[in-house]
Amino acid sequence: MMKKVAVLTSGGDAPGMNAVIRAVVRTALHYGFEAYGVHNGYKGLVENDIVKMDRNDVGQILNRGGTILGSSRLPEFKQKEVRQIAVDNLNKLGIDALVVIGGDGTYRGGMDLNKMGINVIAIPGTIDNDIASTEYTIGFFTALDTAIDAIDKLRDTSFSHRRCTVVEVMGRDCGDLSIYSGIACGAEIVVTKETGFNKDQVIKKVQAAEQMGKRHVIIVVAENITDVSKLAAEIDKKTNYTSRATVLGYIQRGGTPSSFDRILASKMGVRAIELLRQNKGGLAIYTNSMEIGECEISEALKAKDEITDLYSYLPKLN
Ligand code: F6P
């Protein structure tokens, strides 16, 4: 019997989700499976909003932000009776394999569905980079580039006006977007859940920067830590910098995916189908490859004879 595979995106959208959808659909078709798209995440599974997808349905989306399938959050999916409706809908269509793309909430839903007899593969798609199993999630680096671009612009105006800029970056409970953008933008101070927040210490650091003769100060604050407008107002009062707050917000979730996210998404989408082809389920795909190391310079100068495994992905994605 022909295998039928469905794909959905759930939770906060992330750049690169479309690239995964494309890779999943095209690879499924490459192996002779039928491919289905579920609209609006788990909500679409429950509402039976599931459509058959052809290779052309995923044309022109590799470079597009957002998700063509739509996304949503469905807290009710924690209830077994609600999940049972989803399973029944999949069974009616003869779909026994599902690729879910999203963050931790998506993973939990996928794990529960897997226990109910659907082979589920989870792919990390979230700007937050908060999935423990993977070094990077799809969308993280694109969101990081967006944050960097915005903070660079804030730096220009902060310098001109001799200001302290407090900028709030997304990430839910994970400080990765903040610390990575802080390093990439040369922020003086980064405040995240991991660093902890002590208002007096932050103000002392701003005063120290002033003593050092810095013309401007950039403070990156992860969301859900403190009210950045109030923090800026207090810095304004207690230092000689005028201070302003900027919340980057949802612009971090949109935009065309970066090169890294497109390739990661394509590779992960292909892997998901290859696992389902072996009837494997209940698995989360990860990447773990950006280590820094060192070797003899002579070693570094040897001819590069290894061919990247990316060549094997190309036929499945077309
Ligand atoms: O998970 C992605 C994310 O953008 C988080 O950074 C943020 O905390 C949350 O989603 C916002 O969620 P919503 O789209 O439900 O407002």
Side-chain angles (χ1 to χ4, degrees):
M1 210 173 57
M2 186 187 280
K3 205 168 182 61
K4 297 182 179 185
V5 180
V7 56
L8 63 79
T9 48
S10 154
D13 63 349
M17 279 182 160
N18 281 328
V20 189
I21 296 167
R22 169 182 178 269
V24 165
V25 170
R26 295 255 169 108
T27 308
L29 298 174
H30 174 83
Y31 285 118
F33 304 163
E34 274 185 16
Y36 290 81
V38 182
H39 289 141
N40 309 318
Y42 291 120
K43 197 162 175 270
L45 271 191
V46 176
E47 293 174 353
N48 205 16
D49 194 353
I50 305 168
V51 293
K52 196 155 175 237
M53 292 185 94
D54 197 3
R55 61 175 309 290
N56 293 333
D57 294 325
V58 292
Q60 311 301 327
I61 66 167
L62 174 61
N63 55 345
R64 270 171 62 191
T67 157
I68 57 157
L69 289 176
S71 190
S72 67
R73 300 186 195 278
L74 184 68
E76 298 88 335
F77 206 66
K78 289 194 189 96
Q79 300 164 26
K80 187 146 191 225
E81 332 56 282
V82 176
R83 288 200 303 279
Q84 191 59 55
I85 303 171
V87 171
D88 292 345
N89 286 336
L90 287 170
N91 286 341
K92 266 183 246 155
L93 289 166
I95 298 169
D96 61 350
L98 179 68
V99 179
V100 299
I101 309 159
D104 50 0
T106 308
Y107 274 41
R108 260 177 233 116
M111 191 168 67
D112 291 341
L113 274 183
N114 194 75
K115 288 180 192 147
M116 296 169 78
I118 306 290
N119 270 353
V120 177
I121 302 292
I123 294 185
T126 164
I127 65 163
D128 298 336
N129 207 34
D130 59 350
I131 300 281
S133 57
T134 190
E135 189 177 16
Y136 296 113
T137 56
I138 297 160
F140 171 68
F141 277 108
T142 305
L144 179 61
D145 285 344
T146 302
I148 288 172
D149 181 58
I151 298 169
D152 282 350
K153 287 173 176 154
L154 289 169
R155 163 187 285 271
D156 292 344
T157 179
S158 302
F159 181 86
S160 307
H161 291 266
R162 204 179 179 281
R163 273 182 180 159
C164 171
T165 290
V166 184
V167 54
E168 183 183 291
V169 170
M170 268 190 174
R172 200 179 285 278
D173 295 323
C174 178
D176 282 15
L177 262 183
S178 295
I179 186 66
Y180 279 68
S181 56
I183 288 175
C185 295
E188 277 71 18
I189 304 167
V190 175
V191 180
T192 66
K193 204 175 162 193
E194 294 83 353
T195 64
F197 174 52
N198 179 321
K199 193 175 60 190
D200 297 334
Q201 260 176 27
V202 168
I203 292 171
K204 264 193 202 135
K205 280 190 194 160
V206 178
Q207 286 163 341
E210 203 176 346
Q211 293 280 304
M212 283 167 71
K214 285 191 180 246
R215 189 170 165 87
H216 67 107
V217 174
I218 293 174
I219 308 177
V220 176
V221 182
E223 67 172 341
N224 302 324
I225 300 277
T226 190
D227 182 327
V228 286
S229 297
K230 284 192 185 145
L231 179 62
E234 197 143 343
I235 291 168
D236 199 278
K237 234 191 279 160
K238 296 195 174 150
T239 72
N240 290 314
Y241 293 110
T242 50
S243 187
R244 297 283 192 272
T246 302
V247 176
L248 296 190
Y250 290 90
I251 60 162
Q252 294 162 103
R253 288 240 295 254
T256 185
S258 67
S259 54
F260 182 86
D261 282 330
R262 292 182 200 196
I263 291 166
L264 186 64
S266 300
K267 289 177 80 172
M268 287 185 165
V270 169
R271 176 67 65 91
I273 294 299
E274 286 179 341
L275 291 169
L276 291 171
R277 211 175 153 227
Q278 300 163 40
N279 282 320
K280 290 188 179 163
L283 298 173
I285 296 180
Y286 65 81
T287 181
N288 190 4
S289 55
M290 289 260 249
E291 270 175 42
I292 302 290
E294 61 283 319
C295 66
E296 295 291 332
I297 297 174
S298 56
E299 193 72 21
L301 289 172
K302 281 185 180 166
K304 201 177 165 199
D305 54 6
E306 226 175 71
I307 299 175
T308 163
D309 72 338
L310 282 175
Y311 288 104
S312 69
Y313 286 86
L314 208 53
K316 300 160 195 163
L317 293 166
N318 280 304

